[in-house]
Amino acid sequence: LTVTTSTTKMSDSNTTAAPLPKISLNSDKTRSQLVRTSELEWKPTAARGGVFRRMIERLGDEEKARATTVVKFNPHQDFPEHTHRGGEEFFVLDGVWRDKYSKEVPGDYAKYSYVRNYINSAHSPCIGEEGVLILVKLCQMTEEYDEGEHRRWDGRPEKEGGEGWDAVEVKATILDSEQQGAELKFNNSTLMKGELQDASVPLTIRQKEFFKSPFEHVFALTVESGKSENSELFESNLKPSQLTLTGGKDGLEFLVVEGQMESKEFGLHDKHSWTRLVEGDKVTMTSVSKDLYLWIKEGHLNMPEKPLERC
């Protein structure tokens, strides 16, 4: 298990074959890892002024890479139309994403929107007065599944008008998998268990489906306490080691969109922290904020991604 702030490894470029990647940052998908993006420096992008990034994982170079990044666009920034040879997906963390697509999809996406731009698709961002903050993943799609269109999902939580959430309320101190509400399984991969010390204060876990294919599964998860609005944490209402997320076959990654949590394995997962879990590894939540929102992607760490040299 690894906790990372900012580390970049430069590869050896002395070779007669094709050049090796110049940057390998947190790119070993066989290792579980936490990256607290709040501890990383905002670095300007070379492509455009007024756009800054915090690099989470990167394999490639400054111009072309397989990358996961938090990107901040200042207000009134735009980009000329460009093509994503390896595909692009992003989640809006704050502000409004504005884009110019073809006629198939209008392009104003508010906070909690999840967007997938398929392999070889083109677009031209034109950010408005709100600015925008996004989690973006580049060159991490497969050619073995044809998505064929731009797609967008509204991930607003129910309390903000969002729809399509499935809920399970954990009310009693039970861990028997035969009893509804004791545990949740997603695609037979991740697992969350909940046990409460005080059955009078229920814990509600909600799931919102985004995207699913034979190679990956993307969804959001919220953990909500029944405590009063004045309660920042409901740590006293959780039994440590009984609320967990576990990496199943081909692992998972998650980003804390809202709130924060602490785990026995990594310590603090603050807002916009990113975690990768390989198969069998887990995070055991010892405290969570009152309304925790996680963006989760699972079953993809061994996916046959489009080769980087063709992205």
Side-chain angles (χ1 to χ4, degrees):
L1 301 179
T2 305
V3 178
T4 300
T5 54
S6 182
T7 305
T8 303
K9 297 179 181 179
M10 305 303 293
S11 61
D12 184 3
S13 60
N14 295 323
T15 177
T16 56
L20 294 174
K22 297 178 183 178
I23 300 176
S24 180
L25 172 67
N26 305 328
S27 60
D28 184 354
K29 294 186 178 182
T30 66
R31 298 176 62 188
S32 294
Q33 193 158 7
L34 165 70
V35 178
R36 298 188 185 105
T37 65
S38 63
E39 299 176 0
L40 304 181
E41 179 185 357
W42 285 112
K43 295 185 178 181
T45 65
R48 205 73 163 180
V51 182
F52 304 86
R53 65 187 178 188
R54 287 172 167 168
M55 291 189 289
I56 294 174
E57 59 175 349
R58 192 172 186 88
L59 182 65
D61 55 37
E62 285 294 327
E63 294 185 358
K64 181 171 67 175
R66 203 181 307 284
T68 303
T69 314
V70 174
V71 181
K72 177 174 64 176
F73 291 76
N74 285 346
H76 305 297
Q77 299 299 314
D78 60 7
F79 276 72
E81 182 173 300
H82 58 279
T83 300
H84 287 288
R85 303 294 180 193
E88 175 191 51
E89 61 184 307
F90 62 88
F91 188 90
V92 180
L93 301 172
D94 201 7
V96 179
W97 178 269
R98 301 185 187 280
D99 214 327
K100 295 177 182 177
Y101 290 107
S102 62
K103 294 180 180 179
E104 55 187 300
V105 176
D108 289 4
Y109 305 137
K111 182 178 179 179
Y112 300 113
S113 294
Y114 174 59
V115 179
R116 293 180 69 93
N117 295 324
Y118 58 93
I119 289 176
N120 293 324
S121 64
H123 68 140
S124 52
C126 48
I127 308 304
E129 61 183 9
E130 307 92 344
V132 73
L133 183 71
I134 62 173
L135 170 75
V136 60
K137 297 179 70 68
L138 297 173
C139 301
Q140 297 183 56
M141 293 183 176
T142 180
E143 293 177 297
E144 296 184 23
Y145 184 81
D146 183 14
E147 298 189 32
E149 62 180 356
H150 299 285
R151 299 185 66 185
R152 176 258 184 179
W153 293 261
D154 179 2
R156 286 177 298 162
E158 283 194 341
K159 65 180 182 179
E160 297 190 25
E163 299 178 347
W165 289 84
D166 296 322
V168 173
E169 190 173 61
V170 182
K171 294 182 178 179
T173 55
I174 56 175
L175 281 178
D176 184 354
S177 62
E178 298 298 320
Q179 300 187 53
Q180 183 178 8
E183 62 181 33
L184 289 82
K185 290 185 178 181
F186 307 108
N187 202 27
N188 294 321
S189 182
T190 66
L191 171 67
M192 178 170 278
K193 294 182 179 179
E195 181 176 356
L196 302 182
Q197 293 178 353
D198 180 2
S200 67
V201 184
L203 175 71
T204 301
I205 301 171
R206 302 181 191 275
Q207 179 197 4
K208 172 65 182 284
E209 288 283 346
F210 291 145
F211 174 79
K212 191 173 184 179
S213 79
F215 299 98
E216 56 184 310
H217 179 209
V218 186
F219 59 99
L221 196 72
T222 62
V223 181
E224 302 169 11
S225 165
K227 280 202 169 184
S228 69
E229 291 296 323
N230 295 326
S231 176
E232 291 297 324
L233 296 176
F234 55 100
E235 178 176 3
S236 62
N237 196 40
L238 291 175
K239 285 188 175 180
S241 82
Q242 299 303 333
L243 189 60
T244 63
L245 272 174
T246 305
K249 187 178 185 300
D250 295 323
L252 69 91
E253 64 182 272
F254 68 89
L255 185 97
V256 178
V257 176
E258 290 292 346
Q260 67 178 39
M261 62 183 238
E262 292 186 357
S263 71
K264 183 171 65 176
E265 294 78 11
F266 293 98
L268 177 64
H269 302 249
D270 59 352
K271 186 174 181 178
H272 299 164
S273 287
W274 174 89
T275 305
R276 178 201 298 127
L277 292 177
V278 301
E279 183 175 354
D281 282 355
K282 65 182 179 180
V283 291
T284 305
M285 302 180 197
T286 57
S287 70
V288 298
S289 57
K290 182 173 64 64
D291 294 311
L292 179 69
Y293 188 119
L294 304 179
W295 175 89
I296 303 177
K297 183 173 183 177
E298 66 171 359
H300 65 294
L301 295 185
N302 296 313
M303 182 173 66
E305 297 162 321
K306 184 175 181 179
L308 185 57
E309 60 270 18
R310 295 197 291 108
C311 288

